[in-house]
Amino acid sequence: IGAYLLKIAIILLGLVFNVNQVYRIASESFLLVLGLVTITSFLGVVLYFVLNVPKKFSILSTAGTAICGATAVSSVSPLINAKSNEVGSVLSIIFILNAVAMIFFPVIGDALNLTQEQFGVWIGLSVHDTSSVTAISTLYGEETTEIALITKLVRTLFLIPLIIILGIHFESKLKSSQFPLFILVFILVLIIGSFADLPDPVMLSASLLFKFLIVLALYFIGSQVNLSTLLQRTKHSMIHTISLWIVISFISLFLVLNFV
């Protein structure tokens, strides 16, 4: 339920955003996103060899951290024939890390006096799931939400080449996995909203409904953490996902402080 509410909330934001602003932010953040996805993928492979974790778990962990959390894990898992306990473990760790980010990232942003733009780009680069990106950025400011979400959507686009590469490598049928269609709907709504000149009451209603759905979605998503499945993983597997995210969070913060 939480995932569906989240998708509806993001689609509603398409009515509030402006297509020209989205294009500007996306073009400015593309190189940062490309660099971070590349670095994350490389570190994921390094940790796979260093920690000697199962290959499929490492792929799920790296894909979720580099691109879009639960969406990437769910899209990739059928391509590599991942076991349900591997998928459940990665998702549980990701949900916990999202909660950690929600608590500490705004505090770090305030301590470093990050601007709304800097904080938005940092959250868009480092936080796993779109739901958490949206929720955390909303706490920091309205401008932050737009920047963070657009940066995150640019990250999500890298799911397309990932699906193709893994599909070829594992000789899987690409139809067993699919790119999240709600992003395409978001883009369509964004274009319509930008050129339709919608009245202010409609824009305000969309914004308020978005905030309500985000809170509701977070409640349902938080309830998905499965501790019993999580405890089935070895210590090294958990370290792979956690340490990869911590390193990437600091690298993305460094990039933001120096290039944004």
Side-chain angles (χ1 to χ4, degrees):
I1 296 177
Y4 288 111
L5 292 175
L6 165 67
K7 292 172 184 178
I8 295 172
I10 293 173
I11 290 171
L12 283 173
L13 273 187
L15 295 175
V16 180
F17 289 174
N18 180 277
V19 67
N20 293 324
Q21 291 176 307
V22 171
Y23 175 78
R24 178 183 60 81
I25 295 171
S27 60
E28 291 176 353
S29 63
F30 179 79
L31 288 180
L32 283 175
V33 173
L34 174 62
L36 200 71
V37 169
T38 303
I39 293 171
T40 307
S41 301
F42 174 76
L43 289 178
V45 174
V46 171
L47 288 174
Y48 160 68
F49 287 107
V50 171
L51 298 174
N52 193 29
V53 298
K55 182 178 181 179
K56 292 180 181 179
F57 182 93
S58 174
I59 292 174
L60 295 176
S61 174
T62 303
T65 305
I67 299 177
C68 51
T71 301
V73 172
S74 301
S75 299
V76 166
S77 57
L79 291 175
I80 65 176
N81 293 316
K83 297 178 180 178
S84 58
N85 64 337
E86 291 176 318
V87 176
S89 297
V90 175
L91 290 179
S92 294
I93 298 171
I94 286 175
F95 289 141
I96 292 173
L97 293 178
N98 283 335
V100 171
M102 198 170 301
I103 295 171
F104 291 105
F105 275 31
V107 177
I108 295 173
D110 286 331
L112 296 176
N113 293 317
L114 296 182
T115 64
Q116 289 198 34
E117 180 181 6
Q118 288 178 318
F119 189 80
V121 173
W122 181 39
I123 297 303
L125 289 174
S126 60
V127 176
H128 291 89
D129 285 301
T130 309
S131 58
S132 299
V133 167
T134 309
I136 296 171
S137 59
T138 301
L139 296 174
Y140 210 77
E142 292 185 5
E143 181 183 349
T144 304
T145 303
E146 180 177 5
I147 295 171
L149 182 57
I150 294 170
T151 303
K152 184 66 175 67
L153 292 179
V154 173
R155 268 176 74 193
T156 304
L157 291 176
F158 282 88
L159 188 57
I160 298 175
L162 176 65
I163 288 174
I164 294 174
I165 292 171
L166 290 178
I168 294 173
H169 179 73
F170 286 88
E171 298 181 351
S172 304
K173 294 181 180 179
L174 294 181
K175 66 179 182 180
S176 64
S177 181
Q178 60 181 1
F179 183 77
L181 294 179
F182 80 94
I183 292 180
L184 300 180
V185 178
F186 165 81
I187 295 173
L188 178 61
V189 172
L190 170 68
I191 295 173
I192 294 173
S194 297
F195 294 101
D197 193 21
L198 298 174
D200 291 339
V202 174
M203 304 279 281
L204 179 60
S205 298
S207 179
L208 292 175
L209 185 56
F210 157 76
K211 294 176 182 179
F212 171 75
L213 290 176
I214 283 296
V215 174
L216 203 56
L218 287 177
Y219 168 77
F220 285 108
I221 290 172
S223 65
Q224 296 177 24
V225 176
N226 190 326
L227 293 179
S228 61
T229 304
L230 180 61
L231 293 175
Q232 295 176 10
R233 286 293 98 199
T234 64
K235 180 176 66 175
H236 284 177
S237 296
M238 295 178 65
I239 290 175
H240 182 283
T241 307
I242 295 171
S243 58
L244 182 61
W245 177 69
I246 291 175
V247 171
I248 290 307
S249 296
F250 279 105
I251 291 177
S252 58
L253 180 58
F254 172 81
L255 292 175
V256 166
L257 287 172
N258 287 275
F259 298 104
V260 177

